[in-house]
Amino acid sequence: IKNVNSMRFVAAAVEYEARRQIDIIEDGGKIDQETRLYDSKKNETRSMRSKEEAHDYRYFPDPDLLPLELEQAWVDRIKASLPELPDDKKDRFMRDFGLNLYDAGVLVAERESADFYEQVAKGRDAKLAANWVVNELFGRLNKEGLEIGQSPVGAAAMGEIVSLISDGTISGKIAKDVFEIAWTEGGRPSEIVEKRGLRQVTDMGAIEAAVDKVIAANPQKVEQAKAKPSMAGWFVGQVMKETGGKANPQAVSELVTKKLGL
């Protein structure tokens, strides 16, 4: 294909030609060996001249270049010394960590990002780790215009946040507050949780008391919820507000549903 003078035109010409040739073959036709001209204004190719054989293109060995002979043992040593390549790493992340194609692709785009993620995920909930690295960390890095190596929250701290969520010490909502504090002020997430009293409330007695208080204060809402069960979400929100966002959301939801008789 001639008249392709930029990488953008190369990509466009190849895409057009691929579609053209697929259509010909699917219709039972045969692809002619020829030189075609790319028209960037019409984004199409058209025939310039046909070529019967490869020698018509004047392909021939360069007489000044000696044959290149590689020993298989040398090739094997080079192959064995290569690091894990991005596609292999992506497949491993999907296979071993259960990540989806998008998250795995984002994480392996840069070696530093993949290494960071593996440190966070080691011995932890790999999917939860990917969610926090891809969405929370990368989102903040992009916003601040920083590289992964410049992150104020390192892999060890991100790993702590994931562990604190997994073991129920903090909720996902509280975790975002912890991440923000670690980002702006520094410090270990576990210490931030203890010093600031951010530990999630799991005491069912305390949660039940908060649920009872919200229900007693909103009798009209109770009647509305019985007619429209989706209103239960409103009560959950009020209980979370009553507990400063520290109550276990799942426990709150189950208690609200039970108390309202839904």
Side-chain angles (χ1 to χ4, degrees):
I1 303 175
K2 292 188 176 293
N3 196 38
V4 282
N5 53 17
S6 73
M7 290 305 298
R8 183 166 63 88
F9 288 164
V10 168
V14 168
E15 184 177 351
Y16 173 84
E17 194 59 23
R19 290 198 306 268
R20 185 187 72 84
Q21 293 189 23
I22 288 171
D23 290 341
I24 291 174
I25 292 172
E26 289 183 343
D27 288 341
K30 181 176 178 295
I31 305 301
D32 296 325
Q33 182 167 284
E34 60 182 346
T35 298
R36 297 183 67 85
L37 177 73
Y38 176 66
D39 186 331
S40 60
K41 293 183 179 178
K42 295 182 179 181
N43 189 31
E44 64 181 21
T45 66
R46 57 176 179 269
S47 181
M48 287 182 66
R49 54 183 175 270
S50 63
K51 298 288 184 179
E52 295 301 323
E53 301 294 339
H55 65 256
D56 290 329
Y57 285 97
R58 299 190 182 280
Y59 295 153
F60 60 91
D62 189 319
D64 295 327
L65 293 178
L66 296 175
L68 182 61
E69 298 180 356
L70 304 177
E71 293 182 0
Q72 187 58 45
W74 182 84
V75 174
D76 292 342
R77 286 198 303 273
I78 296 298
K79 184 177 181 180
S81 68
L82 290 174
E84 185 180 34
L85 299 178
D87 283 346
D88 294 332
K89 193 182 294 288
K90 180 170 64 177
D91 290 342
R92 178 168 63 84
F93 281 8
M94 294 171 66
R95 181 184 65 251
D96 295 350
F97 296 148
L99 304 189
N100 59 41
L101 180 62
Y102 173 79
D103 285 346
V106 171
L107 290 167
V108 305
E110 299 288 344
R111 183 173 179 176
E112 292 80 3
S113 298
D115 291 345
F116 186 100
Y117 165 70
E118 289 209 76
Q119 291 180 57
V120 175
K122 188 175 182 179
R124 301 185 176 93
D125 184 329
K127 287 186 177 181
L128 181 61
N131 180 59
W132 270 83
V133 172
V134 172
N135 297 317
E136 299 299 329
L137 180 65
F138 287 179
R140 187 59 177 268
L141 289 173
N142 289 336
K143 181 180 178 182
E144 303 288 344
L146 300 175
E147 299 294 332
I148 187 77
Q150 300 171 302
S151 174
V153 181
M158 287 299 297
E160 270 199 25
I161 291 175
V162 172
S163 294
L164 290 168
I165 298 171
S166 297
D167 65 18
T169 300
I170 58 177
S171 65
K173 182 178 182 301
I174 295 174
K176 292 187 177 184
D177 294 334
V178 174
F179 175 78
E180 180 64 26
I181 295 169
W183 182 280
T184 57
E185 302 177 22
R188 290 187 56 185
S190 57
E191 293 176 353
I192 292 171
V193 169
E194 295 304 326
K195 288 180 179 179
R196 306 213 177 195
L198 297 175
R199 183 178 287 271
Q200 183 172 229
V201 176
T202 55
D203 179 357
M204 291 304 294
I207 294 175
E208 186 171 9
V211 171
D212 289 340
K213 180 179 179 180
V214 171
I215 289 177
N218 297 277
Q220 291 184 330
K221 293 285 187 180
V222 171
E223 295 304 316
Q224 292 175 13
K226 289 180 178 179
K228 188 178 180 182
S230 61
M231 278 281 298
W234 181 87
F235 284 91
V236 173
Q238 294 302 305
V239 174
M240 294 303 293
K241 186 183 295 184
E242 178 70 24
T243 60
K246 297 178 185 178
N248 182 297
Q250 184 177 349
V252 172
S253 180
E254 291 174 356
L255 266 178
V256 165
T257 299
K258 179 182 177 181
K259 296 276 186 178
L260 293 176
L262 302 179

